[in-house]
Amino acid sequence: MTTDSTDAPPTDEAAVRAETVRRLERAMGSLGTAAVARMEQRLSWFRSMSAEDRSWVGLVAQSGVAAFVDWFKHPDRGRPAIAVEVFGTAPRELTRSVSLQQTVEMVRVVIDVVESRVTELAAPGGEQQLREAMLRYSREVAFSTARVYARAAEARGAWDARLEALIVDALLHGDREEGLQTWGASLGWSRTPVIAIAGLLGDQDAEEVLADLRARARRSGHDVLAGVQGERVVVVVGVNDQTTPDPMAAATPLAGLFGPGAVVVGPPVSDLRAASRSARAAVDGLRAAPGWPDAPRPVAAEDLLPERALDGDRDARRRLVEEVYLPLRDAGTPLLDTLAVYLEHASSLESTARMLFVHPNTVRYRLSRVAELTGFAPADGRGSFVLRIALTLGRLAERG
């Protein structure tokens, strides 16, 4: 009785490998199918993926098996080019759908499927040879996986940084506002209200400062965009109002990361599209901040209206006239006259009363009305300064 040569046990290592390769090639399709079925069974995240992403993962698994068989068939090639042969089949977006940890789990499943069939797949006497090859291959897959995700993260980080810089530039220049929401969405932006913060870089490293600002803001649950323009750092924060109901409070932990000098916070706005108003106010406030060296840090851009007005900020001038001067004027001449005399006579109740021929209590009452209408107390040093600037600007606006 004769024996079929294809069923006879191989007699040397090369022959054993050749027979194992033949068995692997016959089983490639079933191995890939079994790997996908095992993923469906063991990996909950795989079951919850979209059909398209599952199909791409399945293709990666099939490619991994095929690449292993080809590499096992040609051991003289050295290290396998796994990044191209396996991961090159999937779109770049897959690295966003599947995390590094999930990819490691997927590789383990594929290896487990092959290992469970070593006795069937290996030629007689070739079991150890196949196991050692699988061990080496799985190690190369692990290294290649890490490299693929590292490159994707690096590319994503570089793209995010460029996009952030573009958004910050658009906000400051007030153009391309129709695209801001789309750009923000691509960065995962969802929080409101939105504030802008401006400060100086100083002698710090720009990339380190931006990284620290982003990390600290995100630890508090805020969305954040940051960019450097020369010596100026501008940060746009989507405030998590569940943890930080006061938008100004979101800026306080970030202030210490800026360089020396003022840190100015723009007014809160409803969304990213409207953030240009907050960003421009913050930058205008930063430019005018040297006029108030004792300002708190951070300081609201709204609190720098007089310095901004003196620095030529038209919006600040308009707001001081509309929000301070006009309410006083519309309330009647006695309030304006009383305030003007009070400011001119060193904030003295008695001197003001004598000049106006009224009782000091009348002066006191009128000044309290000024504070109610404007939010600034004439007896307060800072309040009197704001009122004096607003009074002067209002008179200039009404000349002629």
Side-chain angles (χ1 to χ4, degrees):
M1 180 176 178
T2 60
T3 303
D4 190 339
S5 61
T6 59
D7 295 331
T11 58
D12 57 52
E13 184 175 335
V16 169
R17 180 181 292 272
E19 175 61 22
T20 300
V21 167
R22 283 193 292 272
R23 296 186 180 201
L24 287 170
E25 287 176 338
R26 289 197 298 266
M28 275 197 301
S30 63
L31 287 174
T33 302
V36 172
R38 186 76 63 87
M39 285 185 228
E40 288 272 7
Q41 178 184 1
R42 289 174 48 178
L43 305 178
S44 59
W45 59 264
F46 181 77
R47 293 193 299 271
S48 64
M49 293 178 73
S50 67
E52 181 181 8
D53 283 344
R54 283 201 307 274
S55 68
W56 279 116
V57 171
L59 183 58
V60 170
Q62 295 276 7
S63 299
V65 172
F68 169 71
V69 173
D70 184 66
W71 173 75
F72 186 78
K73 184 177 182 178
H74 303 93
D76 55 323
R77 289 182 179 177
R79 298 178 63 180
I82 294 172
V84 175
E85 296 174 350
V86 180
F87 297 104
T89 62
R92 186 173 300 175
E93 290 78 7
L94 191 61
T95 59
R96 300 184 188 181
S97 302
V98 183
S99 70
L100 176 58
Q101 179 62 39
Q102 290 170 338
T103 304
V104 171
E105 293 175 355
M106 179 183 73
V107 171
R108 285 175 178 167
V109 168
V110 175
I111 297 299
D112 287 347
V113 167
V114 179
E115 281 186 333
S116 68
R117 297 176 60 179
V118 164
T119 303
E120 168 193 345
L121 296 171
E127 293 85 356
Q128 186 62 28
Q129 185 185 60
L130 181 57
R131 286 194 178 95
E132 290 177 358
M134 288 177 53
L135 178 62
R136 181 182 173 191
Y137 189 79
S138 64
R139 184 171 64 245
E140 293 295 337
V141 168
F143 287 139
S144 293
T145 300
R147 285 197 295 270
V148 167
Y149 276 82
R151 284 197 298 269
E154 182 179 0
R156 174 68 177 174
W159 166 248
D160 285 355
R162 288 194 294 271
L163 184 55
E164 284 190 35
L166 182 63
I167 293 175
V168 170
D169 181 73
L171 290 174
L172 292 177
H173 291 87
D175 56 1
R176 299 190 292 272
E177 292 189 3
E178 68 281 355
L180 289 176
Q181 293 293 86
T182 301
W183 293 345
S186 71
L187 294 172
W189 187 281
S190 62
R191 302 289 188 184
T192 58
V194 177
I195 58 172
I197 309 169
L200 297 176
L201 180 63
D203 58 0
Q204 303 179 91
D205 179 78
E207 292 303 320
E208 290 183 5
V209 170
L210 294 180
D212 290 344
L213 285 166
R214 293 185 186 111
R216 185 165 297 183
R218 286 167 182 159
R219 278 199 299 271
S220 299
H222 308 313
D223 289 335
V224 60
L225 304 171
V228 173
Q229 297 184 326
E231 289 299 310
R232 186 173 61 203
V233 181
V234 179
V235 181
V236 182
V237 178
V239 180
N240 181 357
D241 56 6
Q242 300 298 314
T243 61
T244 315
D246 177 14
M248 189 69 182
T252 302
L254 305 179
L257 299 176
F258 290 85
V263 175
V264 183
V265 184
V269 293
S270 59
D271 55 30
L272 187 60
R273 197 197 321 264
S276 59
R277 181 166 65 87
S278 183
R280 287 196 293 268
V283 170
D284 290 342
L286 181 64
R287 186 169 52 245
W292 187 13
D294 295 329
R297 193 175 191 264
V299 60
E302 310 294 282
D303 294 337
L304 287 161
L305 285 178
E307 286 79 12
R308 289 166 55 189
L310 292 173
D311 194 44
D313 185 338
R314 293 184 178 179
D315 183 62
R317 292 183 177 186
R318 176 188 58 79
R319 291 191 55 193
L320 285 172
V321 171
E322 292 180 356
E323 298 174 14
V324 180
Y325 177 78
L326 292 183
L328 294 175
R329 185 201 65 181
D330 295 343
T333 301
L335 285 188
L336 270 181
D337 289 346
T338 300
L339 176 61
V341 173
Y342 180 77
L343 295 175
E344 292 297 329
H345 287 80
S347 301
S348 169
L349 287 172
E350 291 74 14
S351 297
T352 303
R354 285 196 299 271
M355 289 295 298
L356 296 174
F357 302 102
V358 296
H359 193 277
N361 285 342
T362 302
V363 175
R364 186 175 289 109
Y365 169 75
R366 291 176 180 175
L367 295 179
S368 68
R369 286 284 297 141
V370 169
E372 290 174 6
L373 288 171
T374 66
F376 299 102
D380 174 70
R382 180 68 186 172
S384 66
F385 174 67
V386 176
L387 290 167
R388 184 183 292 273
I389 298 298
L391 193 59
T392 303
L393 290 172
R395 288 167 175 168
L396 291 174
E398 291 188 335
R399 64 187 171 183

